[in-house]
Structure formats: C-alpha cells, structure tokens
Amino acid sequence: MALLDHENLDVYHRSIEFLTFALRLVTYLPRGERELREQLKRAAISVPLNIAEGSGKPAKPDRARFYAIARGSAMECGALMDVCRVAGYLAPAEAEDAKSLLARIVAMLTRMCRG
C-alpha cells in the first residue's frame, strides 16, 4: 500500500499517538467541562492535520508555516494537560507522560520549521 508523504514522518505518527490519548481523555471529562473537552479535541486534531497539509506543500515557506501552526497547537495541548492536571482530571504521571510526548513532537516540528 502506498503511503502519503506525511505518513512517512515520525512526527505525524507521534501526533496521532497523542491524539489517541487526548480523545480517550475527553471521554472522561465531566459533562460540565464541555469547553475544555472541545478545546482539547480541536488542538489535538490540529497537530496531525497541519503536519499532513504542510507535507503536501511544494514550497519550503508554505511547509514551514503549517509545521509552525502544528507546533503551536502542540504547545496548546501541553497547557491543556496542565489544566487537566490542576483540575484533577489527569494524574500527575499521566500528564507528565503526555507532556513528554508533546515535547518530542514540538522538538521535531521546531527542526522542520527551520527547513
């Protein structure tokens, strides 16, 4: 089976790994946390989507712009992990694991932004 460009990128696979975690987490958030749930879903989904879109751009500046957007969304996810931890919805160890994965994603995207 042929792979699309973004499917060859480790950063894409790690972003899908985080997205899987985030989508599972939002199912455990209380009903009163609709805004937090939606914000986390949007930010987590944005990372792999922007990586995929960026990898399809022929020009370096265009690719870098989408990778930078993905990086910003990953940073937002890190802050959302802190919010979930402080609110008691995420154990400190789980938050640390998620943030370690996000730090890896951010580091890869930072290098990719530089071209």
mmCIF file of all heavy atoms in Angstrom, residues 21 25 78 81-100:
data_model
loop_
_atom_site.group_PDB
_atom_site.id
_atom_site.type_symbol
_atom_site.label_atom_id
_atom_site.label_comp_id
_atom_site.label_asym_id
_atom_site.label_seq_id
_atom_site.Cartn_x
_atom_site.Cartn_y
_atom_site.Cartn_z
ATOM 1 N N PHE A 21 -4.506 9.543 22.816
ATOM 2 C CA PHE A 21 -4.565 9.807 24.256
ATOM 3 C C PHE A 21 -5.597 10.893 24.564
ATOM 4 O O PHE A 21 -6.426 10.752 25.460
ATOM 5 C CB PHE A 21 -3.181 10.217 24.772
ATOM 6 C CG PHE A 21 -3.209 10.699 26.190
ATOM 7 C CD1 PHE A 21 -3.211 9.802 27.234
ATOM 8 C CD2 PHE A 21 -3.244 12.062 26.474
ATOM 9 C CE1 PHE A 21 -3.264 10.245 28.556
ATOM 10 C CE2 PHE A 21 -3.291 12.512 27.776
ATOM 11 C CZ PHE A 21 -3.298 11.599 28.821
ATOM 12 N N LEU A 25 -8.979 10.826 26.794
ATOM 13 C CA LEU A 25 -9.121 11.691 27.963
ATOM 14 C C LEU A 25 -10.429 12.468 27.940
ATOM 15 O O LEU A 25 -11.103 12.570 28.968
ATOM 16 C CB LEU A 25 -7.927 12.659 28.044
ATOM 17 C CG LEU A 25 -7.993 13.749 29.116
ATOM 18 C CD1 LEU A 25 -8.098 13.152 30.512
ATOM 19 C CD2 LEU A 25 -6.775 14.665 28.999
ATOM 20 N N GLY A 78 -0.033 21.036 25.492
ATOM 21 C CA GLY A 78 0.753 20.950 26.722
ATOM 22 C C GLY A 78 0.113 21.751 27.844
ATOM 23 O O GLY A 78 0.015 21.287 28.980
ATOM 24 N N MET A 81 -2.885 19.985 29.122
ATOM 25 C CA MET A 81 -2.541 18.893 30.042
ATOM 26 C C MET A 81 -2.351 19.442 31.452
ATOM 27 O O MET A 81 -2.777 18.824 32.435
ATOM 28 C CB MET A 81 -1.283 18.149 29.582
ATOM 29 C CG MET A 81 -1.418 17.383 28.273
ATOM 30 S SD MET A 81 -2.686 16.096 28.304
ATOM 31 C CE MET A 81 -4.079 16.958 27.552
ATOM 32 N N ASP A 82 -1.735 20.625 31.554
ATOM 33 C CA ASP A 82 -1.584 21.262 32.864
ATOM 34 C C ASP A 82 -2.941 21.600 33.464
ATOM 35 O O ASP A 82 -3.179 21.391 34.655
ATOM 36 C CB ASP A 82 -0.738 22.532 32.760
ATOM 37 C CG ASP A 82 0.733 22.250 32.498
ATOM 38 O OD1 ASP A 82 1.199 21.138 32.828
ATOM 39 O OD2 ASP A 82 1.413 23.149 31.963
ATOM 40 N N VAL A 83 -3.838 22.136 32.646
ATOM 41 C CA VAL A 83 -5.184 22.476 33.111
ATOM 42 C C VAL A 83 -5.894 21.221 33.621
ATOM 43 O O VAL A 83 -6.487 21.225 34.710
ATOM 44 C CB VAL A 83 -6.004 23.155 31.988
ATOM 45 C CG1 VAL A 83 -7.473 23.275 32.365
ATOM 46 C CG2 VAL A 83 -5.414 24.521 31.657
ATOM 47 N N CYS A 84 -5.822 20.148 32.863
ATOM 48 C CA CYS A 84 -6.481 18.896 33.278
ATOM 49 C C CYS A 84 -5.872 18.346 34.567
ATOM 50 O O CYS A 84 -6.590 17.838 35.434
ATOM 51 C CB CYS A 84 -6.391 17.861 32.162
ATOM 52 S SG CYS A 84 -7.454 18.228 30.752
ATOM 53 N N ARG A 85 -4.565 18.478 34.706
ATOM 54 C CA ARG A 85 -3.898 18.001 35.930
ATOM 55 C C ARG A 85 -4.335 18.834 37.126
ATOM 56 O O ARG A 85 -4.728 18.303 38.158
ATOM 57 C CB ARG A 85 -2.391 18.050 35.761
ATOM 58 C CG ARG A 85 -1.623 17.566 36.993
ATOM 59 C CD ARG A 85 -0.123 17.742 36.849
ATOM 60 N NE ARG A 85 0.287 19.052 36.366
ATOM 61 C CZ ARG A 85 0.339 20.166 37.100
ATOM 62 N NH1 ARG A 85 -0.001 20.147 38.371
ATOM 63 N NH2 ARG A 85 0.742 21.311 36.565
ATOM 64 N N VAL A 86 -4.290 20.161 36.983
ATOM 65 C CA VAL A 86 -4.657 21.058 38.083
ATOM 66 C C VAL A 86 -6.120 20.845 38.482
ATOM 67 O O VAL A 86 -6.461 20.886 39.662
ATOM 68 C CB VAL A 86 -4.392 22.529 37.691
ATOM 69 C CG1 VAL A 86 -5.038 23.499 38.653
ATOM 70 C CG2 VAL A 86 -2.897 22.782 37.600
ATOM 71 N N ALA A 87 -6.978 20.601 37.505
ATOM 72 C CA ALA A 87 -8.406 20.394 37.776
ATOM 73 C C ALA A 87 -8.693 19.013 38.355
ATOM 74 O O ALA A 87 -9.822 18.737 38.760
ATOM 75 C CB ALA A 87 -9.214 20.602 36.496
ATOM 76 N N GLY A 88 -7.686 18.155 38.375
ATOM 77 C CA GLY A 88 -7.875 16.823 38.951
ATOM 78 C C GLY A 88 -8.410 15.786 37.986
ATOM 79 O O GLY A 88 -8.816 14.709 38.393
ATOM 80 N N TYR A 89 -8.381 16.095 36.696
ATOM 81 C CA TYR A 89 -8.892 15.161 35.690
ATOM 82 C C TYR A 89 -7.812 14.251 35.125
ATOM 83 O O TYR A 89 -8.110 13.326 34.368
ATOM 84 C CB TYR A 89 -9.545 15.920 34.529
ATOM 85 C CG TYR A 89 -10.645 16.848 34.956
ATOM 86 C CD1 TYR A 89 -10.750 18.120 34.405
ATOM 87 C CD2 TYR A 89 -11.584 16.475 35.915
ATOM 88 C CE1 TYR A 89 -11.764 18.989 34.793
ATOM 89 C CE2 TYR A 89 -12.585 17.338 36.311
ATOM 90 C CZ TYR A 89 -12.667 18.589 35.746
ATOM 91 O OH TYR A 89 -13.656 19.447 36.132
ATOM 92 N N LEU A 90 -6.568 14.542 35.473
ATOM 93 C CA LEU A 90 -5.442 13.796 34.932
ATOM 94 C C LEU A 90 -4.411 13.623 36.042
ATOM 95 O O LEU A 90 -4.041 14.598 36.700
ATOM 96 C CB LEU A 90 -4.844 14.577 33.748
ATOM 97 C CG LEU A 90 -3.822 13.907 32.856
ATOM 98 C CD1 LEU A 90 -4.374 12.632 32.230
ATOM 99 C CD2 LEU A 90 -3.384 14.868 31.757
ATOM 100 N N ALA A 91 -3.976 12.390 36.250
ATOM 101 C CA ALA A 91 -2.964 12.113 37.267
ATOM 102 C C ALA A 91 -1.644 12.769 36.862
ATOM 103 O O ALA A 91 -1.344 12.870 35.664
ATOM 104 C CB ALA A 91 -2.785 10.607 37.424
ATOM 105 N N PRO A 92 -0.863 13.211 37.837
ATOM 106 C CA PRO A 92 0.417 13.849 37.512
ATOM 107 C C PRO A 92 1.306 12.999 36.601
ATOM 108 O O PRO A 92 1.926 13.536 35.677
ATOM 109 C CB PRO A 92 1.062 14.072 38.885
ATOM 110 C CG PRO A 92 -0.101 14.212 39.814
ATOM 111 C CD PRO A 92 -1.137 13.253 39.280
ATOM 112 N N ALA A 93 1.364 11.716 36.822
ATOM 113 C CA ALA A 93 2.210 10.841 35.984
ATOM 114 C C ALA A 93 1.693 10.787 34.547
ATOM 115 O O ALA A 93 2.489 10.801 33.599
ATOM 116 C CB ALA A 93 2.278 9.439 36.568
ATOM 117 N N GLU A 94 0.378 10.749 34.387
ATOM 118 C CA GLU A 94 -0.203 10.745 33.035
ATOM 119 C C GLU A 94 0.062 12.069 32.326
ATOM 120 O O GLU A 94 0.375 12.091 31.132
ATOM 121 C CB GLU A 94 -1.711 10.504 33.097
ATOM 122 C CG GLU A 94 -2.106 9.104 33.476
ATOM 123 C CD GLU A 94 -3.615 8.985 33.571
ATOM 124 O OE1 GLU A 94 -4.227 9.749 34.346
ATOM 125 O OE2 GLU A 94 -4.161 8.128 32.859
ATOM 126 N N ALA A 95 -0.069 13.154 33.061
ATOM 127 C CA ALA A 95 0.199 14.474 32.486
ATOM 128 C C ALA A 95 1.655 14.572 32.060
ATOM 129 O O ALA A 95 1.963 15.097 30.979
ATOM 130 C CB ALA A 95 -0.147 15.578 33.493
ATOM 131 N N GLU A 96 2.552 14.044 32.876
ATOM 132 C CA GLU A 96 3.979 14.087 32.553
ATOM 133 C C GLU A 96 4.281 13.260 31.307
ATOM 134 O O GLU A 96 5.050 13.686 30.442
ATOM 135 C CB GLU A 96 4.800 13.589 33.743
ATOM 136 C CG GLU A 96 6.246 13.972 33.672
ATOM 137 C CD GLU A 96 6.475 15.474 33.573
ATOM 138 O OE1 GLU A 96 5.777 16.253 34.210
ATOM 139 O OE2 GLU A 96 7.382 15.869 32.802
ATOM 140 N N ASP A 97 3.680 12.082 31.202
ATOM 141 C CA ASP A 97 3.876 11.238 30.011
ATOM 142 C C ASP A 97 3.373 11.953 28.756
ATOM 143 O O ASP A 97 4.043 11.955 27.719
ATOM 144 C CB ASP A 97 3.155 9.899 30.160
ATOM 145 C CG ASP A 97 3.820 8.977 31.163
ATOM 146 O OD1 ASP A 97 4.974 9.251 31.566
ATOM 147 O OD2 ASP A 97 3.169 7.984 31.554
ATOM 148 N N ALA A 98 2.191 12.545 28.856
ATOM 149 C CA ALA A 98 1.614 13.255 27.706
ATOM 150 C C ALA A 98 2.497 14.437 27.318
ATOM 151 O O ALA A 98 2.754 14.666 26.131
ATOM 152 C CB ALA A 98 0.195 13.726 28.031
ATOM 153 N N LYS A 99 2.982 15.177 28.305
ATOM 154 C CA LYS A 99 3.817 16.334 28.013
ATOM 155 C C LYS A 99 5.179 15.922 27.458
ATOM 156 O O LYS A 99 5.745 16.630 26.631
ATOM 157 C CB LYS A 99 3.945 17.210 29.249
ATOM 158 C CG LYS A 99 2.619 17.952 29.528
ATOM 159 C CD LYS A 99 2.693 18.831 30.726
ATOM 160 C CE LYS A 99 3.572 20.016 30.441
ATOM 161 N NZ LYS A 99 3.614 20.971 31.556
ATOM 162 N N SER A 100 5.688 14.776 27.863
ATOM 163 C CA SER A 100 6.950 14.275 27.289
ATOM 164 C C SER A 100 6.765 13.969 25.808
ATOM 165 O O SER A 100 7.633 14.292 24.982
ATOM 166 C CB SER A 100 7.419 13.026 28.026
ATOM 167 O OG SER A 100 7.828 13.343 29.327
#
